[in-house]
Amino acid sequence: MKDVQKVRDLARHIRIETLKMLTGLGFGHYGGSMSVVETLAVLYGDVMRIDPEKPDWQDRDYFVLSKGHAGPALYATLALKGYFPVSELHTLNQNGTRLPSHPDRLRTTGVDATTGSLGQGVSIAAGMALSHKLAGRSNRVFCILGDGELNEGQCWEAFQFIAHHNLHNLTLFIDYNKQQLDGTLDEVIKPFDLAGKFSAFGFDVQTIKGDDIAAISEAVTPVRHAEQRPLVVILDSIKGQGVKYLEQLANSHHLRLTPDVKLEIENAIAELEATHV
């Protein structure tokens, strides 16, 4: 990694802007947005080949947020990287906005895939990667999935497809924050041995702390070659990551703010803004 400090600072600003967006709206997917912040910061701040001034640049790397409910974190990232003004973030989910609750590639500059229906984003990413491979292009594709999203059978069909076609140009991240809409993973459907399952499905697997910026970058910076298996990074994350109040909630998947909750989050924003890393 060229500059850990720079990426860490980007992550802090993504977290701040995402919290401001959702808190201004008064509701939204806080927990799962927070748990992917560091990964977004690494991808857009250190790893991906992008040009915000040319969002449709044919040689760019592609990103798919399969867990589309974390769209606010992606919007904050894109705005901070210069795809559109940061001031536009306050229009999240408003009438006429370019920033709907889930990513829409036809509305938002910098969004490569429309997502939100869980299980489908990874199939889109697989198609992108296969297209690049067949055409002999060097574009890389990165995709973040939620751990609860893995309950969708379509994910496992896509994983088998990815491994069969040896799509080494596609890297998957599993946001293993251990909660989903209706409760913990163990309560809803136990994930069992995720690393073992992915290995059996034909992937190379790394498990990394979800906020370990240096380790995430080290795992995904090297360009993988044809003799290597596709890579999946299991992010051992925390729902609400980076915000103590959210981390300690029984379930922060989606919050509708009461005055007390709003005050807690506003205090967290102020604390992050006062932090110099």
Side-chain angles (χ1 to χ4, degrees):
M1 172 174 275
K2 306 181 193 79
D3 192 338
V4 175
Q5 192 80 357
K6 184 177 179 181
V7 177
R8 188 172 290 129
D9 198 44
L10 175 60
R12 182 171 66 92
H13 282 97
I14 293 171
R15 186 164 276 116
I16 289 169
E17 295 301 333
T18 305
L19 290 171
K20 285 182 176 180
M21 235 187 306
L22 291 171
T23 304
L25 186 63
F27 60 89
H29 291 94
Y30 279 87
S33 293
M34 293 295 100
S35 55
V36 299
V37 164
E38 278 74 16
T39 301
L40 289 169
V42 168
L43 291 177
Y44 282 88
D46 185 61
V47 174
M48 289 174 60
R49 183 173 56 186
I50 56 173
D51 185 349
E53 294 185 2
K54 299 177 182 177
D56 295 324
W57 179 37
Q58 290 186 349
D59 293 331
R60 75 188 186 278
D61 292 333
Y62 287 69
F63 174 73
V64 178
L65 183 64
S66 195
K67 48 170 288 182
H69 52 279
L74 176 58
Y75 298 153
T77 305
L78 293 173
L80 289 164
K81 293 301 294 183
Y83 284 88
F84 52 85
V86 172
S87 60
E88 196 170 332
L89 293 175
H90 80 277
T91 70
L92 175 70
N93 220 21
Q94 302 295 327
N95 288 338
T97 186
R98 293 197 301 169
L99 308 177
S101 58
H102 293 67
D104 184 335
R105 70 176 184 85
L106 299 180
R107 288 191 177 212
T108 310
T109 303
V111 169
D112 290 319
T114 300
T115 56
S117 185
L118 295 178
Q120 295 184 3
V122 65
S123 295
I124 297 171
M128 289 175 171
L130 181 60
S131 172
H132 294 316
K133 182 180 179 181
L134 292 175
R137 296 188 292 262
S138 61
N139 311 66
R140 301 174 74 187
V141 182
F142 299 89
C143 178
I144 298 179
L145 300 97
D147 50 6
E149 183 177 7
L150 301 186
N151 294 353
E152 299 282 356
Q154 181 171 347
C155 292
W156 297 95
E157 294 175 359
F159 300 153
Q160 189 170 357
F161 178 92
I162 291 163
H164 172 77
H165 289 283
N166 191 29
L167 300 181
H168 56 276
N169 56 342
L170 171 58
T171 297
L172 304 179
F173 296 89
I174 308 301
D175 180 20
Y176 184 45
N177 61 41
K178 306 156 198 75
Q179 290 185 13
Q180 58 189 97
L181 175 62
D182 294 326
T184 67
L185 295 190
D186 284 346
E187 290 171 336
V188 181
I189 296 180
K190 290 183 180 180
F192 297 98
D193 181 4
L194 277 183
K197 287 197 289 188
F198 276 105
S199 180
F201 262 73
F203 285 78
D204 286 339
V205 186
Q206 293 193 38
T207 301
I208 296 171
K209 284 291 184 184
D211 61 354
D212 192 336
I213 283 172
I216 295 169
S217 179
E218 183 179 352
V220 302
T221 296
V223 175
R224 298 178 71 77
H225 302 290
E227 67 275 9
Q228 294 177 288
R229 305 201 304 177
L231 174 65
V232 61
V233 177
I234 299 174
L235 300 165
D236 184 10
S237 59
I238 303 171
K239 204 89 166 184
Q241 188 167 279
V243 180
K244 289 182 180 178
Y245 172 74
L246 294 175
E247 290 180 354
Q248 293 168 358
L249 290 180
N251 195 324
S252 61
H253 183 86
H254 185 280
L255 299 177
R256 187 167 291 276
L257 303 189
T258 64
D260 288 345
V261 173
K262 184 178 181 181
L263 180 59
E264 291 283 358
I265 295 175
E266 287 174 342
N267 288 339
I269 293 170
E271 184 176 340
L272 285 165
E273 289 181 324
T275 301
H276 298 283
V277 294

